[in-house]
Amino acid sequence: DKGGHKHFMAKEIAEQPAVIGDTLRHYLSAAGGGLTLPQPEMDFTQYDRLTLVACGTAYYACLTAKYWFEQLAGLPVDVDIASEFRYREPPVPARTAAIFVSQSGETADTLAALRYCEGRAAKILSIVNVPESSIARESDLALPIHAGVEIGVASTKAFTCQLTVLLLMALKAASDREAIDPARLSDLLSHLRGLPSTINNTLELNEDFRKAAYQLSSAENALFLGRGMMYPLALEGALKLKEISYIHAEAYASGELKHGPIALIDEKMPVIVMAPRDALFDKTVSNMQEVMARGGKVMLITDAPGAAAASEDTWLTLTLPQVDPILSPILYAIPAQLLAYHTAVAKGTDVDQPRNLAKSVTVE
Ligand code: M6R
């Protein structure tokens, strides 16, 4: 049942305020803004290092979480693609917790990476959407993301719910390790509680994204740029666009632009820049100017202060609500999804069942 939407993907995008609200309700106690986690408790003072392993979109959730665990909790994080991790046979240092993120809980490479860590990691934690899955069953602790069934092959609501649980874990780690000021913690928790309504407001910009996507749909290639926590979101934006619209898209950390990809810039290469006005914004603006000076067309996705500060020479500027920079990866997933969705619709591709792809990759 597509609930009145044209595609499951559209329905699942629209469900995000509700399902993120559910995720938050499952993890946060109702009063006082305190954090409650499922039993058995995960005490992050017992670990000196985290290893996060996943595939595809779940891997980009892990890459985002690295910024959160490191910045908020001072906990070093290694992130790896499951198919690389399992065959590299990496050492797993003592006092390492291994975290596996998977919507289906059945991805063959992620499961094999988990089995490799059995007996090697101090703790095996999984973040899954399907609680009765193999990955959940074989973990010491499985945290459900409460996204509900996801049917579209392109992951949308599972990604934002994975991010929500990972951010809650990073906040739990920060609190366990006394790395965060309690006032800042409760501030972030109250921002998190407001996130479903901010996402709702962002979804109301649907028409702006549809128009932008229409312009994007004639491109053969696209480049996504982001800095800091927006870098994994750029990767996710490029993956979504490739998967369902078949436009060749790549993502780079903005600072890498002049180390190679700038050679690709011309008027036929749209560059999608994801940049809220955070501490790194000015650096991203100078990367944008490098693109525009070479005739590149910039689609800037930012907030109102970012739109005001950016140059007027962008091809398109899309303005999202302003949120605390820690929360922006979750919010900026929405434009990444809407752009890909509307581009695919404009091109007439099979949005829910893109060619050559399966929802769950249970073989290597
Ligand atoms: O079920 P999983 O989360 O383990 O799946 C991982 C990837 O196969 C998945 O995220 C894939 O990249 C999606 N099609 C992305 O939209």
Side-chain angles (χ1 to χ4, degrees), residues 9 53-60 101-108 110-111 127-130 135 150 152-156 158-159 162 236 239-240 243-244 354 357-361:
M9 186 181 177
V53 183
C55 301
T57 285
Y59 168 69
Y60 298 143
V101 181
S102 174
Q103 188 284 126
S104 62
E106 300 296 345
T107 299
T110 310
L111 183 57
I127 295 178
V128 292
N129 197 29
V130 182
I135 288 175
E150 189 181 66
V153 165
S155 184
T156 53
F159 179 61
Q162 285 162 354
E236 170 64 3
L239 177 66
K240 285 285 95 90
E243 277 191 295
I244 59 171
L357 291 174
K359 180 64 183 160
S360 180
V361 184

Side-chain angles (χ1 to χ4, degrees), residues 1-15 149 151 157 341 352:
D1 176 21
K2 296 181 190 143
H5 293 273
K6 245 174 102 184
H7 301 99
F8 283 108
M9 186 181 177
K11 173 176 177 255
E12 288 159 4
I13 290 173
E15 278 171 357
V149 178
I151 292 172
K157 62 176 181 170
Y341 174 73
D352 286 331

